[in-house]
Amino acid sequence: MKNILVTGGAGFIGSHLVRLLVNKYPEYRIVNMDVLTYAGNLVNLKDIEDKENYEFVKCDICDFEKVQKVFEDYQIESVIHLAAESHVDRSIKDPFSFAQTNVMGTLSLLQAAKHAWDGNFEDKLFYHVSTDEVYGSLGKEGFFLETTAYDPHSPYSASKASSDHFVRAFHDTYGLPTVISNCSNNYGSFQFPEKLIPLFINNICNNKPLPVYGKGDNIRDWLYVDDHARAIDVIFHKGKHGDTYNIGGFNEWTNIDLIKVMIKTVDRLLGREEGESEKLITYVTDRAGHDLRYAIDSTKLKNELGWEPSLQFEEGIEKTVKWYLENKEWMDNITSGEYEKYYKEMYK
Ligand code: NAD
Ligand code: TYD
């Protein structure tokens, strides 16, 4: 049995990845380490929680001693590290917690892996899951390549950039086998409704205003979350150590166009008149330091490892909207209590 530590497995992307690995590889033991912040939710993993090759450990990645004990107790051989503070708007309000979790937490895991593996790096791997936001913002032309210089603008992307540098430093300095992937914006089921797509689907359903930052002309490159999980699987097994892979689906949308697609889809599925909910669009003050455009070139991943996205965007967004409409209870559980305070504070 191969013992793989996945961090942040109770979050959005982590839960999709854990499900994929647990179901696809019965011969691997998947140890999910998560401290369950506001974004972590074990309900996301209900369908696999009783599987024999799955274990959950509640642990803060910054708690170095506890992390070391997990490496020892479970004889961890590989790490796929996703645990992070992940929302740009929160990072603007509270940059300290981003530096703590994303930088110090990553360092704590790297150090624990180095101690546990103690120079015996055969069949070991530290896989760090990162974001395209480390590359900064594009103008109207061009794409992010693996060789694009880092140029982060938000406290979130600065903290992720810093964690990427630590991962590379551990490879170059101590020979730790590492790999990094930088992915574009994800969408799909189980995403916390602070991010654009689930937030807006929920607001459209509840006839609440849709707060569009600035003019809505910022561009994001959207990838279906299961395609990201499939890419991680491929890179984990076939990626070259010390290397970086960009993950994206060549699927750019301005925010306002994407919002109109969501409105159309939700209205149709709820039997409302076409475009009825466009009246909810509310332009609000722009996000500080708002990156204009992200666009990933994932040709390297396609050419070297054979990964390609499986879903067209139209199909992915239809599936996603349907999932949120059919899983109202999941959404309602999240959007009560603490979330209301967050929403009032953020969108006052
Ligand atoms: P998320 O916010 O949904 O989940 C993060 C998870 O990490 C949660 O389960 C949370 O409880 C856990 N966590 C946070 N701090 C922790 C700590 N100190 N110790 C242990 N666990 C902790 O995030 P996500 O959207 O699933 O993103 C996962 C990873 O993928 C992040 O590293 C993020 O930077 C990266 N990423 C995300 C996107 C995206 O579009 N969401 C795109 C590219 C890369
Ligand atoms: P988000 O989902 O927060 O992802 P990221 O900032 O990491 O790309 O936001 C996606 C885009 O949507 C981004 O350009 C900001 C914009 N946005 C809004 O216009 N209104 C909102 O309420 C939110 C949350 C985001």
Side-chain angles (χ1 to χ4, degrees):
M1 203 167 226
K2 197 172 168 67
N3 297 312
I4 301 175
L5 178 69
V6 176
T7 70
F12 166 47
I13 301 168
S15 61
H16 284 269
L17 177 70
V18 165
R19 179 174 302 102
L20 181 154
L21 296 175
V22 164
N23 287 329
K24 186 169 170 186
Y25 301 104
E27 70 277 24
Y28 293 174
R29 175 162 65 172
I30 305 302
V31 181
N32 172 13
M33 180 191 285
D34 199 303
V35 77
L36 302 178
T37 66
Y38 76 93
N41 186 353
L42 286 178
V43 173
N44 299 358
L45 290 166
K46 256 269 97 357
D47 56 328
I48 56 113
E49 68 184 4
D50 294 328
K51 295 263 179 168
E52 271 184 22
N53 63 336
Y54 171 72
E55 302 274 348
F56 172 70
V57 184
K58 188 165 186 228
C59 175
D60 186 338
I61 56 167
C62 303
D63 185 341
F64 180 57
E65 275 173 26
K66 205 165 165 186
V67 170
Q68 276 196 301
K69 189 158 181 333
V70 172
F71 268 80
E72 207 178 291
D73 289 350
Y74 293 95
Q75 292 294 297
I76 295 301
E77 296 158 278
S78 297
V79 179
I80 309 181
H81 171 38
L82 295 97
E85 288 295 337
S86 67
H87 188 39
V88 173
D89 293 327
R90 286 188 192 252
S91 81
I92 294 168
K93 283 219 178 307
D94 176 21
F96 273 123
S97 62
F98 282 70
Q100 175 66 12
T101 296
N102 300 356
V103 185
M104 295 309 288
T106 301
L107 187 53
S108 149
L109 286 165
L110 285 163
Q111 193 66 350
K114 177 162 80 71
H115 279 194
W117 300 339
D118 195 22
N120 174 15
F121 293 144
E122 211 183 306
D123 294 328
K124 307 289 195 302
L125 180 61
F126 190 103
Y127 182 156
H128 178 58
V129 175
S130 192
T131 165
D132 62 353
E133 303 192 24
V134 298
Y135 298 123
S137 181
L138 292 163
K140 294 234 174 308
E141 305 277 307
F143 291 91
F144 295 135
L145 292 165
E146 286 81 358
T147 48
T148 302
Y150 276 29
D151 182 23
H153 298 289
S154 72
Y156 164 65
S157 52
S159 67
K160 290 296 292 188
S162 172
S163 64
D164 293 10
H165 289 316
F166 269 107
V167 173
R168 290 210 179 93
F170 268 64
H171 175 268
D172 296 349
T173 308
Y174 308 111
L176 197 78
T178 61
V179 71
I180 301 176
S181 58
N182 297 82
C183 188
S184 61
N185 286 62
N186 283 212
Y187 70 99
S189 53
F190 298 115
Q191 187 169 29
F192 195 87
E194 61 189 353
K195 307 278 167 59
L196 180 74
I197 291 188
L199 174 71
F200 276 39
I201 293 173
N202 193 42
N203 283 11
I204 299 166
C205 288
N206 294 307
N207 281 307
K208 282 172 68 178
L210 305 174
V212 181
Y213 298 160
K215 295 194 188 114
D217 53 6
N218 300 70
I219 294 171
R220 296 291 181 267
D221 185 356
W222 293 94
L223 183 70
Y224 193 61
V225 62
D226 286 331
D227 278 331
H228 187 188
R230 282 179 43 250
I232 293 174
D233 179 17
V234 170
I235 296 166
F236 177 74
H237 287 99
K238 301 203 288 186
K240 198 169 134 226
H241 293 181
D243 220 340
T244 289
Y245 297 88
N246 280 353
I247 311 174
F250 293 102
N251 178 44
E252 293 179 54
W253 289 81
T254 61
N255 289 340
I256 194 66
D257 285 345
L258 173 65
I259 289 160
K260 286 185 180 162
V261 171
M262 285 194 274
I263 290 174
K264 217 171 152 180
T265 313
V266 175
D267 280 353
R268 174 168 48 76
L269 291 171
L270 290 182
R272 295 178 183 166
E273 237 169 75
E274 190 178 327
E276 190 184 318
S277 303
E278 286 203 13
K279 61 177 186 294
L280 299 173
I281 291 176
T282 310
Y283 291 93
V284 299
T285 311
D286 207 354
R287 174 186 277 173
H290 198 171
D291 288 334
L292 177 65
R293 174 171 168 253
Y294 302 144
I296 274 277
D297 184 338
S298 54
T299 310
K300 173 176 169 181
L301 181 56
K302 181 181 171 198
N303 289 350
E304 291 187 13
L305 307 186
W307 173 89
E308 277 187 278
S310 67
L311 267 194
Q312 291 298 315
F313 185 68
E314 288 65 25
E315 197 185 334
I317 201 79
E318 178 87 12
K319 274 175 88 154
T320 302
V321 170
K322 275 192 180 145
W323 188 87
Y324 286 102
L325 297 187
E326 283 162 11
N327 290 275
K328 208 174 158 305
E329 204 185 321
W330 180 90
M331 184 63 91
D332 290 346
N333 276 338
I334 287 176
T335 53
S336 55
E338 273 302 304
Y339 178 87
E340 280 174 33
K341 274 193 241 156
Y342 156 81
Y343 196 83
K344 276 200 189 114
E345 167 73 11
M346 205 57 100
Y347 293 100
K348 53 181 180 251

PDB file of all heavy atoms in Angstrom, residues 119-143:
ATOM      1  N   GLY A 119      16.673  11.863   3.463  1.00  0.00           N
ATOM      2  CA  GLY A 119      17.631  11.594   2.377  1.00  0.00           C
ATOM      3  C   GLY A 119      17.278  10.385   1.524  1.00  0.00           C
ATOM      4  O   GLY A 119      17.850  10.183   0.456  1.00  0.00           O
ATOM      5  N   ASN A 120      16.330   9.579   1.986  1.00  0.00           N
ATOM      6  CA  ASN A 120      15.913   8.416   1.178  1.00  0.00           C
ATOM      7  C   ASN A 120      14.716   8.822   0.323  1.00  0.00           C
ATOM      8  O   ASN A 120      13.563   8.671   0.720  1.00  0.00           O
ATOM      9  CB  ASN A 120      15.543   7.246   2.108  1.00  0.00           C
ATOM     10  CG  ASN A 120      14.970   6.091   1.317  1.00  0.00           C
ATOM     11  OD1 ASN A 120      15.093   6.041   0.086  1.00  0.00           O
ATOM     12  ND2 ASN A 120      14.318   5.174   2.015  1.00  0.00           N
ATOM     13  N   PHE A 121      15.016   9.361  -0.853  1.00  0.00           N
ATOM     14  CA  PHE A 121      13.961   9.980  -1.650  1.00  0.00           C
ATOM     15  C   PHE A 121      13.387   9.063  -2.727  1.00  0.00           C
ATOM     16  O   PHE A 121      12.592   9.496  -3.547  1.00  0.00           O
ATOM     17  CB  PHE A 121      14.495  11.274  -2.310  1.00  0.00           C
ATOM     18  CG  PHE A 121      14.817  12.354  -1.299  1.00  0.00           C
ATOM     19  CD1 PHE A 121      15.915  13.203  -1.497  1.00  0.00           C
ATOM     20  CD2 PHE A 121      14.030  12.536  -0.173  1.00  0.00           C
ATOM     21  CE1 PHE A 121      16.217  14.207  -0.580  1.00  0.00           C
ATOM     22  CE2 PHE A 121      14.324  13.531   0.750  1.00  0.00           C
ATOM     23  CZ  PHE A 121      15.413  14.366   0.553  1.00  0.00           C
ATOM     24  N   GLU A 122      13.783   7.797  -2.715  1.00  0.00           N
ATOM     25  CA  GLU A 122      13.258   6.894  -3.738  1.00  0.00           C
ATOM     26  C   GLU A 122      11.753   6.720  -3.554  1.00  0.00           C
ATOM     27  O   GLU A 122      11.272   6.485  -2.433  1.00  0.00           O
ATOM     28  CB  GLU A 122      13.963   5.534  -3.628  1.00  0.00           C
ATOM     29  CG  GLU A 122      14.080   4.865  -4.977  1.00  0.00           C
ATOM     30  CD  GLU A 122      14.706   3.494  -4.837  1.00  0.00           C
ATOM     31  OE1 GLU A 122      15.801   3.418  -4.253  1.00  0.00           O
ATOM     32  OE2 GLU A 122      14.063   2.536  -5.297  1.00  0.00           O
ATOM     33  N   ASP A 123      11.003   6.846  -4.631  1.00  0.00           N
ATOM     34  CA  ASP A 123       9.538   6.713  -4.599  1.00  0.00           C
ATOM     35  C   ASP A 123       8.852   7.745  -3.711  1.00  0.00           C
ATOM     36  O   ASP A 123       7.745   7.521  -3.232  1.00  0.00           O
ATOM     37  CB  ASP A 123       9.103   5.301  -4.164  1.00  0.00           C
ATOM     38  CG  ASP A 123       9.508   4.266  -5.183  1.00  0.00           C
ATOM     39  OD1 ASP A 123       9.536   4.591  -6.387  1.00  0.00           O
ATOM     40  OD2 ASP A 123       9.842   3.137  -4.768  1.00  0.00           O
ATOM     41  N   LYS A 124       9.524   8.851  -3.455  1.00  0.00           N
ATOM     42  CA  LYS A 124       8.894   9.907  -2.653  1.00  0.00           C
ATOM     43  C   LYS A 124       8.567  11.078  -3.564  1.00  0.00           C
ATOM     44  O   LYS A 124       9.236  11.291  -4.581  1.00  0.00           O
ATOM     45  CB  LYS A 124       9.850  10.402  -1.550  1.00  0.00           C
ATOM     46  CG  LYS A 124      10.410   9.310  -0.664  1.00  0.00           C
ATOM     47  CD  LYS A 124       9.359   8.735   0.247  1.00  0.00           C
ATOM     48  CE  LYS A 124       9.934   7.905   1.388  1.00  0.00           C
ATOM     49  NZ  LYS A 124      10.756   6.776   0.986  1.00  0.00           N
ATOM     50  N   LEU A 125       7.543  11.850  -3.156  1.00  0.00           N
ATOM     51  CA  LEU A 125       7.215  13.058  -3.930  1.00  0.00           C
ATOM     52  C   LEU A 125       6.463  14.068  -3.071  1.00  0.00           C
ATOM     53  O   LEU A 125       5.531  13.707  -2.337  1.00  0.00           O
ATOM     54  CB  LEU A 125       6.350  12.690  -5.155  1.00  0.00           C
ATOM     55  CG  LEU A 125       5.944  13.877  -6.050  1.00  0.00           C
ATOM     56  CD1 LEU A 125       7.157  14.575  -6.641  1.00  0.00           C
ATOM     57  CD2 LEU A 125       5.005  13.430  -7.169  1.00  0.00           C
ATOM     58  N   PHE A 126       6.854  15.310  -3.193  1.00  0.00           N
ATOM     59  CA  PHE A 126       6.110  16.413  -2.574  1.00  0.00           C
ATOM     60  C   PHE A 126       5.505  17.223  -3.722  1.00  0.00           C
ATOM     61  O   PHE A 126       6.217  17.926  -4.444  1.00  0.00           O
ATOM     62  CB  PHE A 126       7.042  17.287  -1.732  1.00  0.00           C
ATOM     63  CG  PHE A 126       6.306  18.300  -0.886  1.00  0.00           C
ATOM     64  CD1 PHE A 126       6.131  18.100   0.481  1.00  0.00           C
ATOM     65  CD2 PHE A 126       5.762  19.457  -1.454  1.00  0.00           C
ATOM     66  CE1 PHE A 126       5.450  19.030   1.267  1.00  0.00           C
ATOM     67  CE2 PHE A 126       5.077  20.383  -0.668  1.00  0.00           C
ATOM     68  CZ  PHE A 126       4.923  20.170   0.690  1.00  0.00           C
ATOM     69  N   TYR A 127       4.193  17.106  -3.896  1.00  0.00           N
ATOM     70  CA  TYR A 127       3.488  17.778  -4.996  1.00  0.00           C
ATOM     71  C   TYR A 127       2.765  19.005  -4.421  1.00  0.00           C
ATOM     72  O   TYR A 127       1.896  18.870  -3.557  1.00  0.00           O
ATOM     73  CB  TYR A 127       2.491  16.794  -5.621  1.00  0.00           C
ATOM     74  CG  TYR A 127       1.705  17.322  -6.813  1.00  0.00           C
ATOM     75  CD1 TYR A 127       1.174  16.440  -7.735  1.00  0.00           C
ATOM     76  CD2 TYR A 127       1.464  18.678  -7.021  1.00  0.00           C
ATOM     77  CE1 TYR A 127       0.438  16.889  -8.829  1.00  0.00           C
ATOM     78  CE2 TYR A 127       0.755  19.137  -8.103  1.00  0.00           C
ATOM     79  CZ  TYR A 127       0.236  18.241  -9.001  1.00  0.00           C
ATOM     80  OH  TYR A 127      -0.502  18.703 -10.067  1.00  0.00           O
ATOM     81  N   HIS A 128       3.112  20.159  -4.919  1.00  0.00           N
ATOM     82  CA  HIS A 128       2.527  21.415  -4.423  1.00  0.00           C
ATOM     83  C   HIS A 128       1.527  21.970  -5.444  1.00  0.00           C
ATOM     84  O   HIS A 128       1.888  22.211  -6.600  1.00  0.00           O
ATOM     85  CB  HIS A 128       3.663  22.418  -4.185  1.00  0.00           C
ATOM     86  CG  HIS A 128       3.216  23.757  -3.727  1.00  0.00           C
ATOM     87  ND1 HIS A 128       2.477  23.947  -2.576  1.00  0.00           N
ATOM     88  CD2 HIS A 128       3.413  24.991  -4.250  1.00  0.00           C
ATOM     89  CE1 HIS A 128       2.238  25.239  -2.424  1.00  0.00           C
ATOM     90  NE2 HIS A 128       2.786  25.898  -3.419  1.00  0.00           N
ATOM     91  N   VAL A 129       0.291  22.169  -4.993  1.00  0.00           N
ATOM     92  CA  VAL A 129      -0.763  22.655  -5.889  1.00  0.00           C
ATOM     93  C   VAL A 129      -0.838  24.175  -5.786  1.00  0.00           C
ATOM     94  O   VAL A 129      -1.134  24.714  -4.718  1.00  0.00           O
ATOM     95  CB  VAL A 129      -2.121  22.013  -5.532  1.00  0.00           C
ATOM     96  CG1 VAL A 129      -3.242  22.604  -6.374  1.00  0.00           C
ATOM     97  CG2 VAL A 129      -2.052  20.499  -5.726  1.00  0.00           C
ATOM     98  N   SER A 130      -0.556  24.852  -6.892  1.00  0.00           N
ATOM     99  CA  SER A 130      -0.552  26.313  -6.857  1.00  0.00           C
ATOM    100  C   SER A 130      -1.493  26.894  -7.920  1.00  0.00           C
ATOM    101  O   SER A 130      -2.279  26.175  -8.537  1.00  0.00           O
ATOM    102  CB  SER A 130       0.873  26.846  -6.988  1.00  0.00           C
ATOM    103  OG  SER A 130       0.901  28.218  -6.672  1.00  0.00           O
ATOM    104  N   THR A 131      -1.375  28.183  -8.100  1.00  0.00           N
ATOM    105  CA  THR A 131      -2.354  28.925  -8.899  1.00  0.00           C
ATOM    106  C   THR A 131      -1.667  29.737  -9.998  1.00  0.00           C
ATOM    107  O   THR A 131      -0.493  30.112  -9.862  1.00  0.00           O
ATOM    108  CB  THR A 131      -3.131  29.887  -7.967  1.00  0.00           C
ATOM    109  OG1 THR A 131      -3.821  30.847  -8.758  1.00  0.00           O
ATOM    110  CG2 THR A 131      -2.203  30.659  -7.038  1.00  0.00           C
ATOM    111  N   ASP A 132      -2.413  30.054 -11.044  1.00  0.00           N
ATOM    112  CA  ASP A 132      -1.867  30.922 -12.099  1.00  0.00           C
ATOM    113  C   ASP A 132      -1.730  32.366 -11.618  1.00  0.00           C
ATOM    114  O   ASP A 132      -1.075  33.177 -12.266  1.00  0.00           O
ATOM    115  CB  ASP A 132      -2.746  30.860 -13.368  1.00  0.00           C
ATOM    116  CG  ASP A 132      -4.167  31.349 -13.164  1.00  0.00           C
ATOM    117  OD1 ASP A 132      -4.556  31.631 -12.005  1.00  0.00           O
ATOM    118  OD2 ASP A 132      -4.910  31.454 -14.166  1.00  0.00           O
ATOM    119  N   GLU A 133      -2.349  32.685 -10.453  1.00  0.00           N
ATOM    120  CA  GLU A 133      -2.344  34.084  -9.997  1.00  0.00           C
ATOM    121  C   GLU A 133      -0.943  34.559  -9.618  1.00  0.00           C
ATOM    122  O   GLU A 133      -0.691  35.758  -9.548  1.00  0.00           O
ATOM    123  CB  GLU A 133      -3.343  34.278  -8.844  1.00  0.00           C
ATOM    124  CG  GLU A 133      -4.736  33.847  -9.289  1.00  0.00           C
ATOM    125  CD  GLU A 133      -5.870  34.259  -8.358  1.00  0.00           C
ATOM    126  OE1 GLU A 133      -5.717  35.226  -7.610  1.00  0.00           O
ATOM    127  OE2 GLU A 133      -6.932  33.605  -8.413  1.00  0.00           O
ATOM    128  N   VAL A 134      -0.013  33.598  -9.406  1.00  0.00           N
ATOM    129  CA  VAL A 134       1.374  33.989  -9.089  1.00  0.00           C
ATOM    130  C   VAL A 134       2.023  34.753 -10.246  1.00  0.00           C
ATOM    131  O   VAL A 134       2.954  35.527 -10.045  1.00  0.00           O
ATOM    132  CB  VAL A 134       2.264  32.764  -8.752  1.00  0.00           C
ATOM    133  CG1 VAL A 134       1.756  32.041  -7.521  1.00  0.00           C
ATOM    134  CG2 VAL A 134       2.378  31.804  -9.929  1.00  0.00           C
ATOM    135  N   TYR A 135       1.522  34.542 -11.462  1.00  0.00           N
ATOM    136  CA  TYR A 135       2.126  35.189 -12.641  1.00  0.00           C
ATOM    137  C   TYR A 135       1.653  36.637 -12.817  1.00  0.00           C
ATOM    138  O   TYR A 135       2.141  37.329 -13.715  1.00  0.00           O
ATOM    139  CB  TYR A 135       1.773  34.415 -13.910  1.00  0.00           C
ATOM    140  CG  TYR A 135       2.284  32.989 -13.968  1.00  0.00           C
ATOM    141  CD1 TYR A 135       1.403  31.921 -14.157  1.00  0.00           C
ATOM    142  CD2 TYR A 135       3.645  32.709 -13.861  1.00  0.00           C
ATOM    143  CE1 TYR A 135       1.860  30.612 -14.243  1.00  0.00           C
ATOM    144  CE2 TYR A 135       4.111  31.399 -13.936  1.00  0.00           C
ATOM    145  CZ  TYR A 135       3.213  30.356 -14.126  1.00  0.00           C
ATOM    146  OH  TYR A 135       3.672  29.063 -14.206  1.00  0.00           O
ATOM    147  N   GLY A 136       0.669  37.052 -12.018  1.00  0.00           N
ATOM    148  CA  GLY A 136       0.213  38.440 -12.113  1.00  0.00           C
ATOM    149  C   GLY A 136      -0.898  38.603 -13.105  1.00  0.00           C
ATOM    150  O   GLY A 136      -1.775  37.739 -13.211  1.00  0.00           O
ATOM    151  N   SER A 137      -0.871  39.704 -13.847  1.00  0.00           N
ATOM    152  CA  SER A 137      -2.012  40.028 -14.700  1.00  0.00           C
ATOM    153  C   SER A 137      -1.550  40.228 -16.136  1.00  0.00           C
ATOM    154  O   SER A 137      -0.529  40.862 -16.388  1.00  0.00           O
ATOM    155  CB  SER A 137      -2.645  41.325 -14.186  1.00  0.00           C
ATOM    156  OG  SER A 137      -3.760  41.656 -14.958  1.00  0.00           O
ATOM    157  N   LEU A 138      -2.332  39.689 -17.083  1.00  0.00           N
ATOM    158  CA  LEU A 138      -2.013  39.876 -18.503  1.00  0.00           C
ATOM    159  C   LEU A 138      -2.784  41.059 -19.063  1.00  0.00           C
ATOM    160  O   LEU A 138      -3.856  41.425 -18.551  1.00  0.00           O
ATOM    161  CB  LEU A 138      -2.428  38.627 -19.286  1.00  0.00           C
ATOM    162  CG  LEU A 138      -1.635  37.338 -19.025  1.00  0.00           C
ATOM    163  CD1 LEU A 138      -2.413  36.132 -19.529  1.00  0.00           C
ATOM    164  CD2 LEU A 138      -0.272  37.411 -19.697  1.00  0.00           C
ATOM    165  N   GLY A 139      -2.249  41.634 -20.158  1.00  0.00           N
ATOM    166  CA  GLY A 139      -3.037  42.588 -20.931  1.00  0.00           C
ATOM    167  C   GLY A 139      -3.961  41.803 -21.860  1.00  0.00           C
ATOM    168  O   GLY A 139      -4.250  40.637 -21.603  1.00  0.00           O
ATOM    169  N   LYS A 140      -4.360  42.426 -22.956  1.00  0.00           N
ATOM    170  CA  LYS A 140      -5.318  41.753 -23.839  1.00  0.00           C
ATOM    171  C   LYS A 140      -4.726  40.531 -24.548  1.00  0.00           C
ATOM    172  O   LYS A 140      -5.425  39.610 -24.923  1.00  0.00           O
ATOM    173  CB  LYS A 140      -5.834  42.746 -24.895  1.00  0.00           C
ATOM    174  CG  LYS A 140      -6.665  43.895 -24.300  1.00  0.00           C
ATOM    175  CD  LYS A 140      -8.016  43.987 -24.966  1.00  0.00           C
ATOM    176  CE  LYS A 140      -8.962  45.007 -24.357  1.00  0.00           C
ATOM    177  NZ  LYS A 140      -9.164  44.932 -22.933  1.00  0.00           N
ATOM    178  N   GLU A 141      -3.389  40.552 -24.739  1.00  0.00           N
ATOM    179  CA  GLU A 141      -2.736  39.479 -25.502  1.00  0.00           C
ATOM    180  C   GLU A 141      -1.899  38.578 -24.589  1.00  0.00           C
ATOM    181  O   GLU A 141      -1.543  38.976 -23.499  1.00  0.00           O
ATOM    182  CB  GLU A 141      -1.758  40.093 -26.526  1.00  0.00           C
ATOM    183  CG  GLU A 141      -2.363  41.105 -27.456  1.00  0.00           C
ATOM    184  CD  GLU A 141      -3.060  40.448 -28.629  1.00  0.00           C
ATOM    185  OE1 GLU A 141      -2.409  39.637 -29.296  1.00  0.00           O
ATOM    186  OE2 GLU A 141      -4.253  40.725 -28.848  1.00  0.00           O
ATOM    187  N   GLY A 142      -1.561  37.400 -25.125  1.00  0.00           N
ATOM    188  CA  GLY A 142      -0.567  36.534 -24.473  1.00  0.00           C
ATOM    189  C   GLY A 142      -1.149  35.558 -23.470  1.00  0.00           C
ATOM    190  O   GLY A 142      -2.339  35.624 -23.126  1.00  0.00           O
ATOM    191  N   PHE A 143      -0.273  34.639 -23.025  1.00  0.00           N
ATOM    192  CA  PHE A 143      -0.673  33.597 -22.083  1.00  0.00           C
ATOM    193  C   PHE A 143       0.409  33.422 -21.026  1.00  0.00           C
ATOM    194  O   PHE A 143       1.566  33.749 -21.261  1.00  0.00           O
ATOM    195  CB  PHE A 143      -0.830  32.249 -22.819  1.00  0.00           C
ATOM    196  CG  PHE A 143      -1.995  32.221 -23.759  1.00  0.00           C
ATOM    197  CD1 PHE A 143      -1.829  32.586 -25.093  1.00  0.00           C
ATOM    198  CD2 PHE A 143      -3.255  31.844 -23.322  1.00  0.00           C
ATOM    199  CE1 PHE A 143      -2.907  32.573 -25.969  1.00  0.00           C
ATOM    200  CE2 PHE A 143      -4.335  31.823 -24.193  1.00  0.00           C
ATOM    201  CZ  PHE A 143      -4.157  32.190 -25.522  1.00  0.00           C
TER     202      PHE A 143
END
